[in-house]
């Protein structure tokens, strides 16, 4: 007796990392030589598909394929959905303005700001009132990025460095929850 190449079976092992599942289900599956298998990522609530790792036709598409000409291992990665805030507008006059942001440990925050009427500096303080980020220079626009070292309320503070009667600050920020 003999076996044809098309009768050869290969193993496709599918795994997930993060909150989500896949079709076909995670685990080990057998497919014949030359089969093209469609795999689909299904993010959980509050998560989004990030990428595939392994020999797929597209690592960034939620739906992709794997060609079975040897044993294969593929992993779908899911990340928490970023949370967008703003733009929020506040009149800070000649003084200061601040935003309180509630974070979990290891959340990352990226913020951008624009000020009309004044230059400002900024600082970020953690729940223990320790400064975790300061502006590199005064200015009317910019951005900052920091990672929460503990859970709790963080304060992003802007201080006007100009002696004007009115300045308005617009702030937008995104929280990237910890994986």
């Amino acid at each position: 007796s003999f076996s044809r190449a098309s009768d050869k079976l290969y193993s496709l092992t599918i795994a997930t990392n993060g909150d989500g599942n896949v079709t076909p289900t995670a685990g080990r599956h057998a497919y014949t030589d030359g089969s093209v298998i469609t795999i689909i990522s299904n993010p959980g609530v509050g998560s989004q598909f990030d990428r595939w790792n392994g020999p797929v036709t597209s690592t960034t598409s939620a739906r992709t394929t794997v060609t079975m000409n040897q044993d294969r291992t593929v992993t779908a990665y899911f990340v928490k959905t970023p949370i967008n805030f703003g733009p929020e507008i506040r009149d800070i006059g000649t003084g200061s303005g601040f935003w309180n942001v509630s974070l979990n440990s290891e959340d990352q925050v990226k913020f951008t700001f624009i000020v009309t009427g004044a230059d400002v500096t900024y600082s970020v303080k953690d729940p223990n009132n320790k400064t975790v980020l300061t502006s590199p220079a005064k200015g009317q626009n910019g951005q900052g990025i920091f990672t929460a070292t503990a859970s709790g309320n963080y304060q992003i503070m802007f201080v006007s460095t100009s002696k004007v009667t009115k300045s308005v600050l617009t702030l937008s920020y995104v929280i990237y929850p910890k994986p």
Side-chain angles (χ1 to χ4, degrees):
S1 126
F2 66 94
S3 113
R4 298 180 313 204
S6 62
D7 290 339
K8 182 148 179 70
L9 291 177
Y10 290 112
S11 172
L12 173 60
T13 303
I14 304 173
T16 60
N17 184 299
D19 185 16
N21 58 57
V22 290
T23 305
T25 59
R28 193 173 189 171
H29 307 273
Y31 296 101
T32 58
D33 184 26
S35 296
V36 177
I37 309 305
T38 299
I39 52 176
I40 303 167
S41 67
N42 305 299
V45 175
S47 291
Q48 66 186 29
F49 171 73
D50 185 51
R51 70 186 185 285
W52 293 102
N53 185 30
V56 296
T57 54
S58 174
T59 58
T60 58
S61 176
R63 180 186 186 111
T64 191
T65 60
V66 179
T67 301
M68 298 305 297
N69 53 14
Q70 66 183 53
D71 290 339
R72 304 283 193 187
T73 299
V74 174
T75 303
Y77 286 85
F78 300 93
V79 295
K80 300 254 180 146
T81 305
I83 305 162
N84 294 293
F85 294 90
E88 295 180 21
I89 300 170
R90 296 206 184 142
D91 180 353
I92 63 170
T94 58
S96 62
F98 64 90
W99 279 258
N100 285 317
V101 181
S102 181
L103 300 173
N104 292 313
S105 180
E106 298 179 34
D107 286 351
Q108 186 179 64
V109 176
K110 179 178 182 179
F111 62 90
T112 57
F113 67 92
I114 298 172
V115 182
T116 56
D119 286 337
V120 296
T121 59
Y122 66 80
S123 63
V124 177
K125 294 192 175 190
D126 71 8
N128 298 313
N129 207 30
K130 178 183 172 194
T131 300
V132 295
L133 181 68
T134 58
S135 55
K138 64 182 179 178
Q140 292 190 343
N141 61 63
Q143 68 178 11
I145 300 172
F146 67 95
T147 301
T149 55
S151 296
N153 286 320
Y154 284 70
Q155 185 178 78
I156 306 173
M157 176 168 275
F158 296 88
V159 176
S160 173
T161 61
S162 302
K163 300 293 182 207
V164 296
T165 57
K166 183 170 183 159
S167 56
V168 177
L169 186 135
T170 303
L171 175 73
S172 298
Y173 59 98
V174 180
I175 298 175
Y176 299 91
K178 69 179 177 179

